[in-house]
Short mmCIF file of all heavy atoms in Angstrom, two decimals:
data_model
loop_
_atom_site.label_atom_id
_atom_site.label_comp_id
_atom_site.label_asym_id
_atom_site.label_seq_id
_atom_site.Cartn_x
_atom_site.Cartn_y
_atom_site.Cartn_z
N TYR Y 1 -9.04 -2.81 5.55
CA TYR Y 1 -7.81 -2.47 6.26
C TYR Y 1 -8.12 -2.22 7.74
O TYR Y 1 -7.42 -2.71 8.63
CB TYR Y 1 -7.19 -1.22 5.64
CG TYR Y 1 -6.09 -0.58 6.45
CD1 TYR Y 1 -4.79 -1.08 6.41
CD2 TYR Y 1 -6.34 0.53 7.25
CE1 TYR Y 1 -3.77 -0.50 7.16
CE2 TYR Y 1 -5.34 1.13 8.00
CZ TYR Y 1 -4.05 0.60 7.95
OH TYR Y 1 -3.05 1.20 8.70
N GLY Y 2 -9.19 -1.48 7.99
CA GLY Y 2 -9.57 -1.20 9.37
C GLY Y 2 -10.00 -2.43 10.14
O GLY Y 2 -9.84 -2.49 11.36
N GLY Y 3 -10.55 -3.43 9.43
CA GLY Y 3 -10.87 -4.69 10.09
C GLY Y 3 -9.61 -5.40 10.54
O GLY Y 3 -9.54 -5.94 11.65
N GLY Y 4 -8.58 -5.38 9.67
CA GLY Y 4 -7.30 -5.96 10.06
C GLY Y 4 -6.68 -5.22 11.23
O GLY Y 4 -6.12 -5.84 12.14
N ILE Y 5 -6.79 -3.89 11.22
CA ILE Y 5 -6.26 -3.10 12.34
C ILE Y 5 -7.05 -3.39 13.62
O ILE Y 5 -6.47 -3.46 14.72
CB ILE Y 5 -6.31 -1.59 12.00
CG1 ILE Y 5 -5.37 -1.26 10.85
CG2 ILE Y 5 -5.95 -0.75 13.23
CD1 ILE Y 5 -3.91 -1.50 11.14
N SER Y 6 -8.34 -3.59 13.51
CA SER Y 6 -9.15 -3.94 14.69
C SER Y 6 -8.65 -5.25 15.30
O SER Y 6 -8.52 -5.37 16.52
CB SER Y 6 -10.62 -4.06 14.30
OG SER Y 6 -11.12 -2.84 13.81
N ASN Y 7 -8.39 -6.24 14.45
CA ASN Y 7 -7.83 -7.50 14.94
C ASN Y 7 -6.47 -7.28 15.60
O ASN Y 7 -6.17 -7.83 16.66
CB ASN Y 7 -7.68 -8.49 13.79
CG ASN Y 7 -8.99 -9.14 13.39
OD1 ASN Y 7 -9.79 -9.51 14.24
ND2 ASN Y 7 -9.20 -9.29 12.10
N LEU Y 8 -5.65 -6.46 14.96
CA LEU Y 8 -4.32 -6.20 15.50
C LEU Y 8 -4.38 -5.47 16.83
O LEU Y 8 -3.66 -5.81 17.78
CB LEU Y 8 -3.50 -5.39 14.49
CG LEU Y 8 -2.06 -5.07 14.90
CD1 LEU Y 8 -1.24 -6.35 15.02
CD2 LEU Y 8 -1.42 -4.10 13.92
N LEU Y 9 -5.24 -4.44 16.92
CA LEU Y 9 -5.36 -3.69 18.17
C LEU Y 9 -5.82 -4.59 19.32
O LEU Y 9 -5.43 -4.39 20.47
CB LEU Y 9 -6.32 -2.52 18.00
CG LEU Y 9 -5.82 -1.36 17.13
CD1 LEU Y 9 -6.89 -0.28 17.03
CD2 LEU Y 9 -4.52 -0.78 17.65
N ALA Y 10 -6.64 -5.58 19.01
CA ALA Y 10 -7.07 -6.51 20.06
C ALA Y 10 -5.89 -7.26 20.66
O ALA Y 10 -5.90 -7.61 21.84
CB ALA Y 10 -8.09 -7.50 19.49
N THR Y 11 -4.85 -7.48 19.85
CA THR Y 11 -3.65 -8.15 20.38
C THR Y 11 -2.72 -7.19 21.10
O THR Y 11 -1.86 -7.61 21.87
CB THR Y 11 -2.85 -8.83 19.25
OG1 THR Y 11 -2.20 -7.85 18.43
CG2 THR Y 11 -3.73 -9.70 18.39
N ARG Y 12 -2.88 -5.89 20.85
CA ARG Y 12 -1.97 -4.88 21.40
C ARG Y 12 -2.50 -4.20 22.65
O ARG Y 12 -1.72 -3.63 23.42
CB ARG Y 12 -1.72 -3.79 20.34
CG ARG Y 12 -0.98 -4.20 19.08
CD ARG Y 12 0.52 -4.13 19.25
NE ARG Y 12 0.98 -2.91 19.89
CZ ARG Y 12 1.34 -1.81 19.22
NH1 ARG Y 12 1.28 -1.78 17.91
NH2 ARG Y 12 1.78 -0.74 19.88
N LEU Y 13 -3.82 -4.21 22.84
CA LEU Y 13 -4.44 -3.38 23.88
C LEU Y 13 -5.19 -4.27 24.86
O LEU Y 13 -6.34 -4.65 24.63
CB LEU Y 13 -5.40 -2.37 23.25
CG LEU Y 13 -4.78 -1.40 22.24
CD1 LEU Y 13 -5.87 -0.66 21.48
CD2 LEU Y 13 -3.84 -0.43 22.94
N PRO Y 14 -4.59 -4.61 25.98
CA PRO Y 14 -5.25 -5.51 26.93
C PRO Y 14 -6.52 -4.93 27.55
O PRO Y 14 -7.36 -5.68 28.05
CB PRO Y 14 -4.18 -5.76 28.00
CG PRO Y 14 -3.21 -4.64 27.86
CD PRO Y 14 -3.22 -4.26 26.42
N ASP Y 15 -6.67 -3.60 27.52
CA ASP Y 15 -7.86 -2.99 28.09
C ASP Y 15 -8.88 -2.56 27.03
O ASP Y 15 -9.82 -1.83 27.32
CB ASP Y 15 -7.51 -1.81 29.00
CG ASP Y 15 -6.52 -0.84 28.39
OD1 ASP Y 15 -5.95 -1.17 27.32
OD2 ASP Y 15 -6.30 0.23 28.97
N LEU Y 16 -8.71 -3.05 25.79
CA LEU Y 16 -9.74 -2.85 24.78
C LEU Y 16 -10.98 -3.62 25.21
O LEU Y 16 -10.90 -4.78 25.60
CB LEU Y 16 -9.24 -3.35 23.42
CG LEU Y 16 -10.18 -3.16 22.22
CD1 LEU Y 16 -10.33 -1.69 21.88
CD2 LEU Y 16 -9.66 -3.95 21.02
N ALA Y 17 -12.16 -2.96 25.14
CA ALA Y 17 -13.37 -3.56 25.69
C ALA Y 17 -14.15 -4.39 24.68
O ALA Y 17 -14.94 -5.26 25.07
CB ALA Y 17 -14.27 -2.48 26.28
N ALA Y 18 -13.96 -4.15 23.39
CA ALA Y 18 -14.68 -4.90 22.35
C ALA Y 18 -14.05 -4.58 21.01
O ALA Y 18 -13.63 -3.44 20.77
CB ALA Y 18 -16.16 -4.54 22.35
N ALA Y 19 -14.04 -5.57 20.11
CA ALA Y 19 -13.50 -5.36 18.76
C ALA Y 19 -14.46 -5.95 17.75
O ALA Y 19 -14.92 -7.09 17.90
CB ALA Y 19 -12.12 -6.00 18.62
N VAL Y 20 -14.74 -5.16 16.69
CA VAL Y 20 -15.68 -5.58 15.65
C VAL Y 20 -15.03 -5.38 14.27
O VAL Y 20 -15.19 -4.33 13.65
CB VAL Y 20 -17.01 -4.79 15.73
CG1 VAL Y 20 -17.98 -5.28 14.67
CG2 VAL Y 20 -17.63 -4.92 17.12
N PRO Y 21 -14.27 -6.36 13.80
CA PRO Y 21 -13.67 -6.26 12.48
C PRO Y 21 -14.64 -6.72 11.38
O PRO Y 21 -15.25 -7.78 11.48
CB PRO Y 21 -12.45 -7.19 12.56
CG PRO Y 21 -12.81 -8.17 13.63
CD PRO Y 21 -13.74 -7.50 14.58
N PHE Y 22 -14.77 -5.89 10.35
CA PHE Y 22 -15.50 -6.27 9.14
C PHE Y 22 -14.48 -6.69 8.08
O PHE Y 22 -13.60 -5.90 7.71
CB PHE Y 22 -16.30 -5.09 8.59
CG PHE Y 22 -17.66 -4.89 9.20
CD1 PHE Y 22 -17.79 -4.40 10.49
CD2 PHE Y 22 -18.80 -5.17 8.48
CE1 PHE Y 22 -19.04 -4.19 11.05
CE2 PHE Y 22 -20.06 -4.97 9.03
CZ PHE Y 22 -20.19 -4.48 10.32
N TYR Y 23 -14.59 -7.92 7.61
CA TYR Y 23 -13.74 -8.48 6.55
C TYR Y 23 -12.30 -7.98 6.64
O TYR Y 23 -11.75 -7.41 5.71
CB TYR Y 23 -14.34 -8.23 5.16
CG TYR Y 23 -15.22 -7.00 5.01
CD1 TYR Y 23 -14.69 -5.72 4.81
CD2 TYR Y 23 -16.60 -7.12 5.09
CE1 TYR Y 23 -15.51 -4.63 4.68
CE2 TYR Y 23 -17.43 -6.02 4.96
CZ TYR Y 23 -16.88 -4.78 4.75
OH TYR Y 23 -17.68 -3.67 4.63
N GLY Y 24 -11.71 -8.24 7.82
CA GLY Y 24 -10.33 -7.84 8.06
C GLY Y 24 -9.41 -9.05 8.15
O GLY Y 24 -9.81 -10.12 8.63
N SER Y 25 -8.19 -8.88 7.73
CA SER Y 25 -7.21 -9.96 7.80
C SER Y 25 -6.86 -10.28 9.26
O SER Y 25 -6.94 -9.42 10.14
CB SER Y 25 -5.94 -9.57 7.04
OG SER Y 25 -6.23 -9.39 5.67
N ALA Y 26 -6.45 -11.52 9.47
CA ALA Y 26 -6.08 -11.97 10.82
C ALA Y 26 -4.81 -11.28 11.28
O ALA Y 26 -3.95 -10.92 10.48
CB ALA Y 26 -5.88 -13.48 10.83
N PRO Y 27 -4.65 -11.12 12.59
CA PRO Y 27 -3.40 -10.59 13.14
C PRO Y 27 -2.35 -11.70 13.14
O PRO Y 27 -2.67 -12.86 12.85
CB PRO Y 27 -3.79 -10.20 14.56
CG PRO Y 27 -4.83 -11.22 14.93
CD PRO Y 27 -5.61 -11.47 13.66
N PRO Y 28 -1.10 -11.38 13.46
CA PRO Y 28 -0.10 -12.44 13.62
C PRO Y 28 -0.60 -13.47 14.63
O PRO Y 28 -0.97 -13.14 15.75
CB PRO Y 28 1.13 -11.69 14.13
CG PRO Y 28 0.97 -10.29 13.61
CD PRO Y 28 -0.51 -10.04 13.67
N LEU Y 29 -0.61 -14.74 14.23
CA LEU Y 29 -1.23 -15.77 15.06
C LEU Y 29 -0.53 -15.93 16.40
O LEU Y 29 -1.18 -16.28 17.40
CB LEU Y 29 -1.26 -17.10 14.30
CG LEU Y 29 -2.11 -17.11 13.02
CD1 LEU Y 29 -2.11 -18.49 12.41
CD2 LEU Y 29 -3.54 -16.64 13.30
N GLU Y 30 0.77 -15.64 16.44
CA GLU Y 30 1.48 -15.80 17.70
C GLU Y 30 1.05 -14.76 18.74
O GLU Y 30 1.31 -14.92 19.94
CB GLU Y 30 3.00 -15.72 17.49
CG GLU Y 30 3.52 -14.37 17.03
CD GLU Y 30 3.48 -14.17 15.52
OE1 GLU Y 30 2.80 -14.97 14.83
OE2 GLU Y 30 4.13 -13.21 15.04
N LEU Y 31 0.36 -13.70 18.28
CA LEU Y 31 -0.11 -12.66 19.19
C LEU Y 31 -1.53 -12.89 19.68
O LEU Y 31 -2.00 -12.20 20.60
CB LEU Y 31 -0.04 -11.28 18.51
CG LEU Y 31 1.34 -10.81 18.07
CD1 LEU Y 31 1.24 -9.42 17.43
CD2 LEU Y 31 2.32 -10.79 19.23
N VAL Y 32 -2.24 -13.85 19.08
CA VAL Y 32 -3.64 -14.08 19.44
C VAL Y 32 -3.84 -14.35 20.94
O VAL Y 32 -4.81 -13.85 21.53
CB VAL Y 32 -4.23 -15.22 18.58
CG1 VAL Y 32 -5.60 -15.66 19.10
CG2 VAL Y 32 -4.35 -14.75 17.12
N PRO Y 33 -2.95 -15.09 21.62
CA PRO Y 33 -3.16 -15.30 23.06
C PRO Y 33 -3.16 -14.02 23.88
O PRO Y 33 -3.60 -14.04 25.04
CB PRO Y 33 -1.99 -16.21 23.45
CG PRO Y 33 -1.65 -16.95 22.19
CD PRO Y 33 -1.86 -15.94 21.10
N ASN Y 34 -2.68 -12.91 23.30
CA ASN Y 34 -2.68 -11.63 24.02
C ASN Y 34 -4.07 -10.99 24.08
O ASN Y 34 -4.28 -10.05 24.85
CB ASN Y 34 -1.73 -10.64 23.35
CG ASN Y 34 -0.28 -11.07 23.39
OD1 ASN Y 34 0.10 -11.91 24.21
ND2 ASN Y 34 0.54 -10.50 22.52
N ILE Y 35 -4.99 -11.46 23.27
CA ILE Y 35 -6.30 -10.82 23.15
C ILE Y 35 -7.09 -10.99 24.45
O ILE Y 35 -7.23 -12.10 24.97
CB ILE Y 35 -7.10 -11.39 21.96
CG1 ILE Y 35 -6.38 -11.08 20.64
CG2 ILE Y 35 -8.52 -10.82 21.94
CD1 ILE Y 35 -7.03 -11.71 19.42
N LYS Y 36 -7.61 -9.88 24.97
CA LYS Y 36 -8.44 -9.90 26.17
C LYS Y 36 -9.88 -9.48 25.88
O LYS Y 36 -10.78 -9.73 26.68
CB LYS Y 36 -7.85 -8.95 27.23
CG LYS Y 36 -6.41 -9.24 27.62
CD LYS Y 36 -6.23 -10.63 28.17
CE LYS Y 36 -4.78 -10.88 28.57
NZ LYS Y 36 -4.56 -12.29 28.98
N SER Y 37 -10.11 -8.82 24.76
CA SER Y 37 -11.45 -8.31 24.46
C SER Y 37 -12.27 -9.34 23.70
O SER Y 37 -11.72 -10.15 22.95
CB SER Y 37 -11.34 -7.04 23.60
OG SER Y 37 -10.81 -7.35 22.33
N PRO Y 38 -13.59 -9.32 23.88
CA PRO Y 38 -14.45 -10.16 23.04
C PRO Y 38 -14.44 -9.64 21.60
O PRO Y 38 -14.24 -8.44 21.36
CB PRO Y 38 -15.83 -10.01 23.68
CG PRO Y 38 -15.78 -8.69 24.38
CD PRO Y 38 -14.36 -8.50 24.83
N LEU Y 39 -14.65 -10.53 20.65
CA LEU Y 39 -14.61 -10.20 19.24
C LEU Y 39 -15.94 -10.53 18.57
O LEU Y 39 -16.52 -11.59 18.82
CB LEU Y 39 -13.51 -10.98 18.53
CG LEU Y 39 -12.07 -10.85 19.03
CD1 LEU Y 39 -11.19 -11.91 18.38
CD2 LEU Y 39 -11.53 -9.46 18.72
N LEU Y 40 -16.39 -9.63 17.71
CA LEU Y 40 -17.51 -9.89 16.81
C LEU Y 40 -16.97 -9.71 15.40
O LEU Y 40 -16.61 -8.59 15.00
CB LEU Y 40 -18.67 -8.92 17.07
CG LEU Y 40 -19.84 -8.98 16.08
CD1 LEU Y 40 -20.51 -10.35 16.12
CD2 LEU Y 40 -20.85 -7.87 16.36
N ILE Y 41 -16.89 -10.79 14.64
CA ILE Y 41 -16.16 -10.79 13.38
C ILE Y 41 -17.13 -11.02 12.22
O ILE Y 41 -17.89 -11.99 12.21
CB ILE Y 41 -15.07 -11.88 13.38
CG1 ILE Y 41 -14.18 -11.73 14.62
CG2 ILE Y 41 -14.23 -11.80 12.13
CD1 ILE Y 41 -13.19 -12.86 14.81
N HIS Y 42 -17.10 -10.12 11.25
CA HIS Y 42 -17.99 -10.19 10.08
C HIS Y 42 -17.17 -10.52 8.83
O HIS Y 42 -16.15 -9.88 8.56
CB HIS Y 42 -18.70 -8.86 9.86
CG HIS Y 42 -19.51 -8.38 11.03
ND1 HIS Y 42 -20.63 -9.05 11.49
CD2 HIS Y 42 -19.38 -7.29 11.82
CE1 HIS Y 42 -21.15 -8.39 12.51
NE2 HIS Y 42 -20.40 -7.32 12.74
N PHE Y 43 -17.67 -11.50 8.05
CA PHE Y 43 -17.03 -11.87 6.80
C PHE Y 43 -18.03 -11.85 5.65
O PHE Y 43 -19.22 -12.17 5.84
CB PHE Y 43 -16.45 -13.30 6.87
CG PHE Y 43 -15.30 -13.46 7.82
CD1 PHE Y 43 -15.48 -14.06 9.05
CD2 PHE Y 43 -14.03 -13.01 7.48
CE1 PHE Y 43 -14.42 -14.23 9.93
CE2 PHE Y 43 -12.96 -13.18 8.35
CZ PHE Y 43 -13.16 -13.79 9.58
N ALA Y 44 -17.55 -11.53 4.47
CA ALA Y 44 -18.32 -11.72 3.24
C ALA Y 44 -18.07 -13.13 2.73
O ALA Y 44 -16.95 -13.65 2.82
CB ALA Y 44 -17.90 -10.70 2.19
#
């Protein structure tokens, strides 16, 4: 759940400095262009 929230916060917070979601669901795809922070994404 927190991985999904990490993805979502990246779309909501333009001054987020880094996001590291572990096995989190994707955010709404239409919001992805809003992302300003680099992402490190972990999947099982």
